[in-house]
Structures are given as C-alpha cells and as structure tokens.
Amino acid sequence: MTREDEVSGKKRILLVIGGGIAAFKALEVARLLRKKSYGVTPVMTEAAQAFVTKLSVETLCGEAVYSDLLSADQESRISHIALARSADIILVCPATANLLARMAHGLADDLATTVLLATTAPIYVAPAMNVRMWENPATQANRVLLEQRGVHFIGPVEGEMACGEFGMGRLASPEMITDILINSFARSHLLQGRHFLVTAGPTCEPIDPVRYISNHSSGLQGFAIAEALAQAGAAVTLISGPVSLPTPANVRRINVVTARDMLEATLSCLPVDGMIAVAAVSDWRTETEGQEKLKKGRHDLSILKMVENPDILAMVCHHDKRPALVVGFAAETEKLLEHAREKRLKKGCDWLLANDVKAGVFGKDHNQVSFLDDHGVENWPSESKKDIACRLVQKISTYFHQI
Ligand code: CTP
C-alpha cells in the first residue's frame, strides 16, 4: 500500500502478468478492478511482453509496468522488496505452467518471481495453459505444493483452448477473477477483533520410546479452517498434533504430541471467542509409558493397560471460560446422524460437523459433512476441505454478527 493508498483507504492489487496467450485477458481484469476503485500495479514477465505490450498494460492499469529486476531505473522508483510489500493482494494472471513451477520451487530469477517470494500478501493465481500441461503430474504437484502454502487458485475452467483442444486449462473469466478478489477483500474484516482456537491433526500416545497409539488424520481440514479464519481477520491459535503441514499465514501455531499436551495448550488459551475442535484426539493411552523398548515375546501384552484420555472438547464446553461458540467434529463409521446428534448433546457443543469416515476422507482433498445445530441438520455438498472451511467461516461470521 502506498502512502496515498493509506490516506484514501484504497486497496492495491499487484497484477503479475505471465507469458501466455491469455495475457490479453489480464487487461480486462485490470480494467474491471480499476472500475471498482482498486489500484492496480502491473508486473510483467519477459514472456508476457511477447503477448501484450507494456503500453497497453500501462494504459489500462494507469501505472507504469515493472518488469526488470536488474534495472537501476525501476529499482530507484521502487525497490523489488517495497514493491512486494506495496500490495494488499497479488494476482498472477495468467499463471503459466512455468510460472507456477518457478513459484512452487522458490525461484527468484526475474522481478515477478522475486516479488512473489518476498511478499507477505495473499497470493491468487489464475492459471491458463493447455489441458495436458495442466493435467501433467508435475503441474499438479506444483499446484498441491502452492495450495499447501496458502496460494489460492482461481480456475482454470473447462473449455476450448487457443490451441484448439478442449478441456481444463482455460483462464477463468475476468469477471469471476475480479469477483473472487473483491469477495476476499470483503471477507478479510468479517472476524476482526475475534480470537479463535482450532485443534487439528492426530494426537500420538507413546507406548514406549518406539511405539505409539494414534488416529488417522492429515490435519488438512483443521489447517484449512485456521487459514480461513485468519483470512477473515480473526486472531487464530492452531494447536496441532504431529502433521507435516506448513502453518497458514497469520496463524499462531502450538505443536503438541499427546492428548494431555493438547488439553493443557487448549486451556492455557482460554478465554477465546470460539473453538473449533477438528483434532482426531486419541481416546486412549497406555496407563504407563515404557522407558525402554518393550521386547517382542518377552512381555505379556495384558500389562498394557489402557486408560481413557481427557475429552478436550467436552471439557471446554463445560469450562467457566467456555467460548461463545464451540464447534466439534464427529468421525463416524455407521449411523452417522444418530451418533452425531448424540455426540453434540453429550459433549455440549453448539455446532457439530459430522463425517462419514468410511467414505475415505483421511488425507484426501475433498470431504462431505453434515452440519448439526439446535435447529436440525444441513447436508453440505461434497467439496474441497478449503471450501468447507470457507462455508463454516461464513456461518461463524454470521453468528458473531448476530450476537
Ligand atoms: N475430541 C476431543 N477430545 C477427545 C476426543 C475427541 O476434543 N479426547 C473432539 C474431537 O476433536 C471432535 C469431537 O471431540 O471435535 C468428536 O471426536 P470423535 O473422535 O468423533 O469422537 P469421540 O469423542 O472420540 O467419541 P467416539 O470415539 O466414541 O466416537
């Protein structure tokens, strides 16, 4: 944000234009954003300049194009680091397979990728490429890596491509890209001033220094919820069991191993406005933890006495510092709604999202949940865990605006 933007409250989008046939559509995106009073600073890759001229981009953005990392003239106007920091949001449009690959692997070999590496602003990418290039495992692996790091994908969509083939790979429409960016600005204040606690991932209960008891859980759903809450402007503390996921931007993370650690960390964070318990907490642990590895065949396994772990969600629901909104999850393998209804009442949480885990949700990108509250049940569509997180956060925002 520039000094003038700060005074006028104007939001600034850094538009990184990649080198593809769809580059000319970035001009329409710039025009639509400016029409809605957003400032648009253009950055072009060298390849982009083969598809659209700097003059066209400058005319539609109303600002000079930045394109060279090693230009003393451009650096003297604004350094690449200041440029990276000047944006409220960065949009890469069109994002080519090459640009996505360079972003995924942290290359900084031109101004566009350097700015993308140096920024702390949310990054949106609108890919456009041939369907085979989009479907190629290399591009898909780069997409997954980038998504895990919090990069938002807008499209691509299905349709006919410039090369004559049909399939997934067309740039999303300029209207769709603009709407998504504008909505994200609107969402970014919904939960400002609120603090949320999210538990995520599994817990691991050591049996001895080598073995442990745990549950299936990748942490993806909990991390997506923490990320969506932070994007809505909330302060978020994420208490996570052992998972290999990066911490979402603007989220404070506390790593724990056992259910007892998770309980202690949770209670130390109260009071908060809301808690979302997504963790797959191990219900049991062994009464004692062997100091040495239990050797096979030398022990009567009945010495492994199991005891129940504390129920973190139920304890928070009955705590004097109970948050205004407590949301639980239910992992069920049968009688989904019957068990979920019982669970919600037994634990005392306000809302519960019920999951049929036999449908194979562990480690998957998609999920299907039923939402239960005092009024009944809503069956949400099968969608990505990120979309479920956004749907939940939207509901949470409505709740906090009504109380
Ligand atoms: N939960 C918790 N502490 C536990 C067990 C579960 O906080 N010791 C929370 C989970 O994070 C989730 C909800 O309670 O939000 C339900 O978890 P789930 O595993 O579905 O149910 P359990 O309580 O373990 O009950 P059961 O195993 O009998 O289905």
Side-chain angles (χ1 to χ4, degrees), residues 199 277-279 281 283 309-313 328-332 343 347:
T199 65
V278 198
V281 182
D283 288 319
N309 265 329
D311 190 319
I312 304 167
L313 175 60
F329 268 72
E332 306 295 345
K343 202 170 269 184
K347 305 226 180 201

Side-chain angles (χ1 to χ4, degrees), residues 14 16 57 60 80 82 117 159 176 180 190 207 247 312 377 392:
L14 198 81
V16 175
V57 174
L60 277 150
H80 59 279
L117 205 57
M176 176 178 166
I180 289 177
L190 286 174
I207 297 172
T247 310
I312 304 167
V377 181
L392 177 65

Side-chain angles (χ1 to χ4, degrees), residues 167-307:
M168 195 64 96
R170 257 178 88 86
L171 186 76
S173 71
E175 290 75 16
M176 176 178 166
I177 295 171
T178 317
D179 283 354
I180 289 177
L181 289 190
I182 294 173
N183 283 337
S184 99
F185 276 122
R187 271 204 322 268
S188 66
H189 298 291
L190 286 174
L191 289 170
Q192 208 142 40
R194 301 281 181 187
H195 183 188
F196 288 85
L197 188 64
V198 179
T199 65
T203 65
C204 293
E205 313 295 329
I207 297 172
D208 64 23
V210 178
R211 305 173 179 96
Y212 62 85
I213 304 169
S214 189
N215 284 353
H216 286 297
S217 173
S218 59
L220 283 171
Q221 185 65 80
F223 276 57
I225 291 171
E227 182 179 31
L229 286 165
Q231 281 164 3
V236 183
T237 305
L238 172 63
I239 303 177
S240 176
V243 292
S244 52
L245 293 176
T247 310
N250 302 319
V251 166
R252 180 171 82 103
R253 174 170 177 174
I254 303 175
N255 287 326
V256 295
V257 176
T258 67
R260 285 164 299 163
D261 297 340
M262 189 172 270
L263 174 67
E264 193 186 322
T266 300
L267 296 181
S268 75
C269 291
L270 299 181
V272 290
D273 294 292
M275 173 185 181
I276 298 93
V278 198
V281 182
S282 176
D283 288 319
W284 302 285
R285 65 177 190 275
T286 51
E287 189 174 44
T288 50
E289 181 185 335
Q291 291 310 303
E292 305 301 336
K293 187 180 179 197
L294 299 174
K295 297 306 282 180
K296 233 176 355 198
R298 287 200 219 142
H299 294 280
D300 170 6
L301 291 184
S302 62
I303 60 158
L304 291 179
K305 188 168 171 232
M306 303 286 266
V307 292

